[in-house]
Amino acid sequence: MNSNNFSKGNILEATNRKLTKGYHYIIYFEGYSDNEFCGLMITHSDLNSNQKMEINHFEKVDKDNNAYKITFDETFLVLGKFIKSEEWGPFNKVGDLT
C-alpha cells in the first residue's frame, strides 16, 4: 500500500493499467481504507458530462524543476469520486494539480 504517501491533487499512474483497473490517470483525493483510496479520473473523452480542464489546473514541473509526465493535453475530469484499489499499485506520482 503506497497511496498514503500522496496528497490531494497528486496525479498518479497505476502499475496495473488494464482498462478495468488503473487505466486512467488518477487524481488522489483522500484515503478510504487500508486497501482502497478515493480518487478522480482524468481522460481525453468529452462524453458523459466530463468537464474540460484548463492549462492552469496543472503544474508543469515538480519542486526540483523536473517536467511532469502528465500536464494539460485537452484533458477532461470525469465527474465523481471513485474508490481505487491499492492492488493496482504501487502508484507513481506523474503530475500535480495547482
Side-chain angles (χ1 to χ4, degrees):
M1 175 170 98
N2 77 325
S3 71
N4 56 355
N5 297 326
F6 301 109
S7 301
K8 187 183 276 189
N10 291 167
I11 302 172
L12 310 180
E13 180 179 50
T15 299
N16 186 339
R17 302 281 321 277
K18 291 182 182 178
L19 189 59
T20 59
K21 306 290 182 191
Y23 176 77
H24 290 93
Y25 291 101
I26 300 164
I27 300 171
Y28 181 86
F29 189 76
E30 64 188 359
Y32 183 76
S33 72
D34 288 342
N35 300 314
E36 301 164 317
F37 65 96
C38 292
L40 300 100
M41 291 187 333
I42 56 177
T43 184
H44 288 98
S45 171
D46 63 354
L47 301 176
N48 302 318
S49 302
N50 294 343
Q51 297 295 301
K52 187 167 186 179
M53 299 180 79
E54 303 292 332
I55 195 167
N56 63 338
H57 291 143
F58 293 83
E59 296 286 356
K60 294 181 181 163
V61 296
D62 66 17
K63 63 181 166 101
D64 297 322
N65 212 32
N66 298 309
Y68 277 124
K69 177 178 179 177
I70 302 302
T71 59
F72 179 75
D73 180 31
E74 299 301 316
T75 311
F76 288 82
L77 179 67
V78 177
L79 294 181
K81 288 187 279 185
F82 302 91
I83 302 299
K84 302 298 185 179
S85 175
E86 290 286 349
E87 291 179 355
W88 303 347
F91 297 90
N92 295 305
K93 181 177 172 182
V94 292
D96 209 1
L97 298 182
T98 57

